[in-house]
Structures are given as structure tokens and as C-alpha cells.
């Protein structure tokens, strides 16, 4: 089943500052997050989903992880870095800093299998 559309709360949390309030908005990864056409990627991946089952993981989250994986680290390394890097979390559409990785590490390999040859095309975009 296709992932549900990610929605930010659009409001502040009295106990937590949003990532956009605590990180420098000038680094490349933050700038890239705003330049990638995430809707286009969602449309390209849509046919790979079944109409049944539980909702998938957000496209931006998984593509963000796979993009970092290409830079060298293992799946475990990418997931570990995500927990410690607020810029990486911002790139994958988190609104607030997360202290725990929200999915299974094996989801990365499942996604690579699902995307197959399409992965290269999406990363070129």
C-alpha cells in the first residue's frame, strides 16, 4: 500500500524546537531537501505499490536513506548516522529531532529490491 502523505503539524511544540529552528539552513543537505521534486518521485514509485496491506514507509524517508547509502556506509551505518544527525533527519522530512530510528534496518534492502532498476533513475533526478 502506498505510504500516507507526510504532514507536518505546522505548529510549535512547547517542549521541543523544530529542526528548522535548531539547524543551520545553509548546508548542502538542507538546500537539497528543498530542491528535490519529492512529488515527482512519489508519482514514479506509485505503480510499485499494491492496493493491499499496511501503508508503506514515506518515499522521502527511504530515498533519503538510500541516497546516503550510496555515499559508502552500510545500511546499519546509515541508520546509526540518521539517529545522530539532525541535518539528515531534516532531509528525510522529520519535523522534530528523533532519538530512535523509526523503522527496521531491513526496510532499506526491501526498498532496494522493490525499486530495482528504477533506483538509479530516481537518484539521478
Amino acid at each position: 500500500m502506498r505510504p500516507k502523505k507526510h504532514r507536518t503539524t505546522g505548529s510549535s511544540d512547547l517542549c521541543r524546537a523544530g529542526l528548522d529552528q535548531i539547524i543551520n539552513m545553509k548546508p548542502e543537505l538542507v538546500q537539497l531537501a528543498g530542491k528535490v521534486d519529492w512529488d515527482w518521485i512519489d508519482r514514479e514509485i506509485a505503480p510499485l505499490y499494491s492496493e493491499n496491506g499496511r501503508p508503506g514507509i514515506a518515499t522521502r524517508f527511504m530515498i533519503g536513506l538510500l541516497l546516503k547509502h550510496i555515499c559508502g556506509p552500510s545500511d546499519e551505518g546509515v541508520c546509526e548516522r540518521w539517529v545522530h544527525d539532525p541535518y539528515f533527519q531534516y532531509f528525510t522530512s522529520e519535523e522534530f529531532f528523533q532519538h530512535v530510528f523509526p523503522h527496521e534496518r531491513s526496510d532499506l534492502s526491501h526498498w532496494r529490491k522493490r525499486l530495482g532498476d528504477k533506483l538509479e533513475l530516481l537518484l539521478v533526478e
Side-chain angles (χ1 to χ4, degrees), residues 10-26:
S11 63
S12 60
D13 184 323
L14 293 176
C15 299
R16 300 184 298 175
L19 285 173
D20 61 344
Q21 296 173 340
I22 61 173
I23 64 173
N24 180 349
M25 299 301 281
K26 294 182 182 178

Side-chain angles (χ1 to χ4, degrees), residues 48-62:
L48 302 175
Y49 287 99
S50 157
E51 293 298 319
N52 302 318
R54 66 184 170 108
I57 297 170
T59 303
R60 181 173 170 174
F61 185 86
M62 291 309 295

Side-chain angles (χ1 to χ4, degrees), residues 36-118:
V36 173
D37 187 350
W38 298 109
D39 291 332
W40 178 83
I41 293 173
D42 276 335
R43 288 190 303 275
E44 288 294 309
I45 292 175
L48 302 175
Y49 287 99
S50 157
E51 293 298 319
N52 302 318
R54 66 184 170 108
I57 297 170
T59 303
R60 181 173 170 174
F61 185 86
M62 291 309 295
I63 294 295
L65 292 177
L66 292 173
L67 179 67
K68 292 308 269 182
H69 180 69
I70 287 175
C71 298
S74 64
D75 288 353
E76 291 79 18
V78 167
C79 297
E80 184 70 22
R81 178 169 178 201
W82 185 91
V83 171
H84 300 289
D85 188 342
Y87 293 94
F88 194 10
Q89 289 188 23
Y90 180 84
F91 182 72
T92 59
S93 77
E94 287 299 326
E95 189 172 5
F96 299 102
F97 186 77
Q98 304 298 316
H99 297 276
V100 177
F101 191 73
H103 302 288
E104 296 294 322
R105 290 180 177 148
S106 61
D107 290 334
L108 278 166
S109 57
H110 295 301
W111 254 73
R112 274 193 299 275
K113 287 177 190 172
R114 175 179 283 173
L115 292 174
D117 296 335
K118 230 177 196 350

